[in-house]
Amino acid sequence: MKAKHQRLTLALLALAALFGAGLLAASALKDQASYFYSPADLQKNPVPPGKHIRLGGMVADHSIVKQPDGVTIDFVVADGPATTKARFRGIPPDLFKENSGVVAEGAFDNNGLFVADTILAKHDERYMPPELARKNGRQEHKTETLAR
Amino acid sequence: MHAFANPTRFLSIARPVTPWLLWLGALLSGYGFYAGLFLTPPDYLQGESVRIMYVHVPAAWLGMGGWMGLAVASLAQLVWRHPLAGVAARAIAAPGALFTAICLVTGSIWGSRTWGTWWQWDGRMTSMLVLLFLYFGYIALANASDEKVSVSKATAIFGLIGAVNVPIINRSVVWWNSLHQGPSITLKGSTIAPEILWPLAFTTLGFSLMFGAIVLMRMRTVLASAKVEARLRRLTTA
């Protein structure tokens, strides 16, 4: 075996081991490194009231209700069949819409209502001009669960 | 690749190729910007802010692709002792860091318009920031060693190890819940409508050519300064 080949084998073996270790570690972080909990996650592992978390999912259809005071918004975060009721006081981002993704930061109160102090809007990986969206995009959107 | 092992031959090819890459790249990017700003429709949800994509996405690809190139050069240096591999890796680091920084800045601006936040520690953003720090670390390590033309062995090993981060960036939106949306462009096709997508091809190709031009320029600079140093040394000893 020539020295060159020895170095190549060594380098490739080291790389394979390194990549394997790195990717295994990263994918094992799956739950810990997630940016938010979905309503389905919360159904499986409930979070105690008062603990600050991020809740993410789709804003359910026809669920946004503006309270008479004008700044309080009630909405439902859905992830497939699992849903969580949420409330936010303030100005949400423009992209906060029904059937669109949302990440809310806040905590549950004692009645199981998620009180958000920050709202971030999430959009999915589909980009299209408005005409096309009117033609077919919006219908597609409704059947879609949380895109990630 | 060993045909280019001779620096003189490499320079005789790199010299005329550099301006072509640079100006063709600038032309393609310029047209891509014009098309992305004036010829394409806005997005149905994000409105006009979707146009940041034409800068953000190629910058992200080149930041990641840059490190892959750097890793391949590091491998070529460690295994085949290619005399120009270290020079190439050293030359890639700065534009790689530059494009990664462009990606982070444009992404931050885009996020402020659509998500309602400038920065969040989700998987994609965090791993991309790690890439920028890896570039900084590589540059510091390359400059700290005695090697002034190629790079030291430790630097090359660092270049190889850092490549682990690239697939993590790529998979970050699939493995973990993130604020960043999932991949739009995959082997199966694109979920971006063609009428919005097409200028991206121009800016991506244009940015890539300019990236290549910067790498060749920096390689020529490193080789030229080595030549100057060698001559000065001969003068002082004579």
Side-chain angles (χ1 to χ4, degrees), chain A residues 24-124:
Chain A
L24 275 178
S27 67
L29 276 173
K30 220 174 178 87
D31 299 327
Q32 282 75 22
S34 275
Y35 180 69
F36 56 77
Y37 295 106
S38 72
D41 295 336
L42 292 170
Q43 236 169 30
K44 268 181 278 168
N45 302 304
V47 169
K51 193 185 170 202
H52 217 79
I53 61 160
R54 292 198 196 93
L55 167 72
M58 305 295 283
V59 181
D61 204 11
H62 300 300
S63 77
I64 297 183
V65 179
K66 257 213 167 117
Q67 297 303 318
D69 67 356
V71 289
T72 306
I73 304 162
D74 284 333
F75 59 99
V76 173
V77 180
D79 173 20
T83 58
T84 304
K85 283 202 179 90
R87 172 171 290 172
F88 173 69
R89 275 175 64 88
I91 302 164
D94 293 347
L95 263 64
F96 175 73
K97 286 174 183 167
E98 284 166 358
N99 298 312
S100 188
V102 66
V103 176
E105 296 179 0
F108 283 102
D109 67 8
N110 291 322
N111 306 321
L113 179 72
F114 188 81
V115 182
D117 43 46
T118 310
I119 279 192
L120 305 175
K122 212 174 122 67
H123 63 82
D124 65 14

Side-chain angles (χ1 to χ4, degrees), chain A residues 3-4 7-8 11-12 15 18-19 22-23 26-27 29-31 33-38 41 54 93-95 97 100 103 105 119-133 138 141 146-148, chain B residues 41-46 50 53 68 75 77-81 110 113-117 120-123 160-165 167-168 173-184 191-196:
Chain A
K4 192 162 70 176
R7 289 199 300 268
L8 180 63
L12 289 183
L15 262 191
L18 200 75
F19 267 72
L23 298 190
S27 67
L29 276 173
K30 220 174 178 87
D31 299 327
S34 275
Y35 180 69
F36 56 77
Y37 295 106
S38 72
D41 295 336
R54 292 198 196 93
D94 293 347
L95 263 64
K97 286 174 183 167
S100 188
V103 176
E105 296 179 0
I119 279 192
L120 305 175
K122 212 174 122 67
H123 63 82
D124 65 14
E125 64 279 11
R126 279 168 303 171
Y127 298 63
M128 62 189 106
E131 306 84 65
L132 192 65
R138 299 305 296 179
H141 230 116
L146 176 62
R148 49 176 221 178
Chain B
D43 179 61
Y44 78 104
L45 192 62
Q46 304 177 50
V50 73
M53 172 179 75
M68 288 322 282
L75 189 71
Q77 180 189 347
L78 290 171
V79 174
W80 295 282
R81 305 270 152 89
W110 197 358
R113 301 293 95 202
T114 53
W115 300 334
T117 178
Q120 289 292 318
W121 295 100
D122 90 335
L160 264 188
I161 293 174
V164 177
N165 189 38
I168 294 177
V173 292
V174 180
W175 284 340
W176 306 311
N177 285 338
S178 64
L179 189 56
H180 204 282
Q181 69 284 3
S184 291
T191 53
I192 301 176
E195 49 268 62
I196 292 182

Side-chain angles (χ1 to χ4, degrees), chain B:
Chain B
M1 273 324 270
H2 277 79
F4 302 107
N6 179 344
T8 319
R9 185 182 289 169
F10 167 78
L11 285 174
S12 71
I13 296 166
R15 203 173 295 129
V17 168
T18 309
W20 278 101
L21 288 181
L22 187 67
W23 294 113
L24 201 60
L27 204 70
L28 286 171
S29 308
Y31 180 68
F33 288 160
Y34 170 75
L37 283 173
F38 299 109
L39 302 184
T40 56
D43 179 61
Y44 78 104
L45 192 62
Q46 304 177 50
E48 305 290 344
S49 69
V50 73
R51 302 180 194 282
I52 303 176
M53 172 179 75
Y54 304 119
V55 180
H56 176 74
V57 172
W61 283 340
L62 282 170
M64 292 156 71
W67 197 285
M68 288 322 282
L70 194 155
V72 169
S74 302
L75 189 71
Q77 180 189 347
L78 290 171
V79 174
W80 295 282
R81 305 270 152 89
H82 193 290
L84 285 176
V87 182
R90 183 191 282 277
I92 289 170
L98 172 70
F99 279 97
T100 306
I102 292 175
C103 166
L104 287 167
V105 170
T106 53
S108 184
I109 297 170
W110 197 358
S112 78
R113 301 293 95 202
T114 53
W115 300 334
T117 178
W118 293 86
W119 184 264
Q120 289 292 318
W121 295 100
D122 90 335
R124 176 56 66 84
M125 289 171 239
T126 309
S127 54
M128 205 63 194
L129 188 65
V130 167
L131 179 67
L132 183 66
F133 292 157
L134 285 175
Y135 273 121
F136 289 162
Y138 183 91
I139 293 168
L141 204 55
N143 290 340
S145 69
D146 292 332
E147 294 262 7
K148 291 296 172 227
V149 183
S150 183
V151 294
S152 65
K153 204 170 164 187
T155 313
I157 291 173
F158 181 78
L160 264 188
I161 293 174
V164 177
N165 189 38
V166 175
I168 294 177
I169 297 174
N170 180 270
R171 294 286 89 192
S172 58
V173 292
V174 180
W175 284 340
W176 306 311
N177 285 338
S178 64
L179 189 56
H180 204 282
Q181 69 284 3
S184 291
I185 297 165
T186 59
L187 289 177
K188 276 181 249 148
S190 154
T191 53
I192 301 176
E195 49 268 62
I196 292 182
L197 183 66
W198 68 270
L200 187 61
F202 282 90
T203 54
T204 302
L205 191 61
F207 277 31
S208 306
L209 293 183
M210 286 198 284
F211 190 104
I214 298 172
V215 170
L216 288 184
M217 280 185 221
R218 285 180 48 80
M219 287 180 74
R220 288 168 59 197
T221 310
V222 170
L223 291 173
S225 60
K227 215 191 255 177
V228 169
E229 245 172 67
R231 276 199 196 153
L232 280 176
R233 218 175 301 131
R234 238 178 297 149
L235 275 179
T236 47
T237 50

